[in-house]
Amino acid sequence: MTGAPTSDTRERLIAAAADLIAAAPGEEFSLRAVCDAVGVKMPTLYHFFGSKQGLIDAVIEHGFDLYLNEKSSMESSGDPIQDIRAGWDAHVAFGLANPGFYTLMYGKVRPGHSPEAQSRPSEILRALTARAAEQGRLLVPSEQAAAHILVTNIGVTLRQIILAAPDPALSQTVREGAISAITGKGTRDNDSLTTAIELAAAQPDVLGRAETQLLIEWLGRLSRVEKLQ
């Protein structure tokens, strides 16, 4: 006589589905194969997830856990724009290293449905663009800036997964284009201030990190004053 399903069984089902997805990115996987890998019957799987989509949503959550664990280990530079750059590169690297997870996380589109787990990395990005806005470094509202960065980051990652060929030059070019679009670098009337801000942010060790952040704050205030005149 077998006991009642446990949370450990649930985690093993998620892990088995994740392994099947990782082994064949973009391919359909069998619920029967998942159950066989764990040694349970189909009713046990339905007990935990209700449906195949329920299991897929749990695997997506697992994928975001892996992604955010990697991001949490990254040290902040102290500068929001530099951290957006680093976050972009980490996003692409995760997608290329985990195409099975990534295509579930961002590539499977269901109209009107957005996996709840997608909001977690979006919140991190919105916090960075909000900080950049406070420093007077954005040409657009911070929410719009975050959305612009996210959609282009996803697009360039999916493109490389589809081609099965990493293209660092493409990623860098699109990244800098997206950052230029939200900061207006090279297009603002007060471009000298923008250039000074970005130069300081790119080389924080020259003045020291604390001093660099203070300089950026001061230049940001000057930028906001100039736009009001």
Side-chain angles (χ1 to χ4, degrees), residues 14 65 69-71 94 100 117 124 173 194 198-199 218 222:
I14 292 172
D65 286 342
N69 285 341
E70 290 185 9
K71 284 184 73 70
F94 178 85
I124 295 173
T173 298
T194 304
E198 299 308 326
L199 182 62
W218 287 343
L222 287 173

Side-chain angles (χ1 to χ4, degrees), residues 4-214:
T6 66
S7 59
D8 177 67
T9 304
R10 181 182 187 279
E11 294 306 312
R12 289 192 294 124
L13 286 165
I14 292 172
D19 288 343
L20 290 172
I21 290 166
E27 300 294 328
E28 288 293 324
F29 66 93
S30 162
L31 293 184
R32 179 68 63 189
V34 173
C35 290
D36 289 346
V38 177
V40 299
K41 302 297 185 182
M42 290 287 283
T44 299
L45 185 148
Y46 284 109
H47 166 79
F48 285 114
F49 306 106
S51 65
K52 184 173 185 178
Q53 186 58 52
L55 175 59
I56 289 173
D57 287 343
V59 173
I60 290 173
E61 183 83 25
H62 177 65
F64 276 106
D65 286 342
L66 292 178
Y67 173 52
L68 291 173
N69 285 341
E70 290 185 9
K71 284 184 73 70
S72 66
S73 66
M74 295 170 55
E75 184 178 351
S76 172
S77 69
D79 177 74
I81 301 299
Q82 291 299 99
D83 285 349
I84 287 172
R85 285 190 173 93
W88 176 291
D89 293 342
H91 183 113
V92 172
F94 178 85
L96 294 179
N98 303 277
F101 282 136
Y102 192 87
T103 52
L104 278 181
M105 291 161 63
Y106 288 112
K108 297 288 187 180
V109 177
R110 290 166 56 201
H113 175 76
S114 176
E116 185 177 345
Q118 280 186 3
S119 66
R120 290 188 286 157
S122 296
E123 288 169 4
I124 295 173
L125 180 56
R126 285 196 295 270
L128 291 174
T129 56
R131 283 182 55 207
E134 290 170 0
Q135 295 174 358
R137 299 169 67 184
L138 295 185
L139 186 66
V140 298
S142 62
E143 289 280 341
Q144 182 181 337
H148 187 94
I149 292 294
L150 181 61
V151 297
T152 49
N153 204 175
I154 293 170
V156 79
T157 304
L158 288 173
R159 175 66 175 171
Q160 292 176 86
I161 290 174
I162 290 169
L163 296 178
D167 191 341
L170 172 66
S171 181
Q172 181 176 343
T173 298
V174 177
R175 183 193 70 200
E176 293 309 306
I179 290 175
S180 292
I182 66 171
T183 62
K185 184 178 179 181
T187 64
R188 291 181 180 175
D189 292 337
N190 61 332
D191 190 51
S192 60
L193 286 174
T194 304
T195 300
I197 289 172
E198 299 308 326
L199 182 62
Q203 303 179 74
D205 294 330
V206 173
L207 298 176
R209 292 186 180 274
E211 292 81 0
T212 297
Q213 289 307 304
L214 186 57

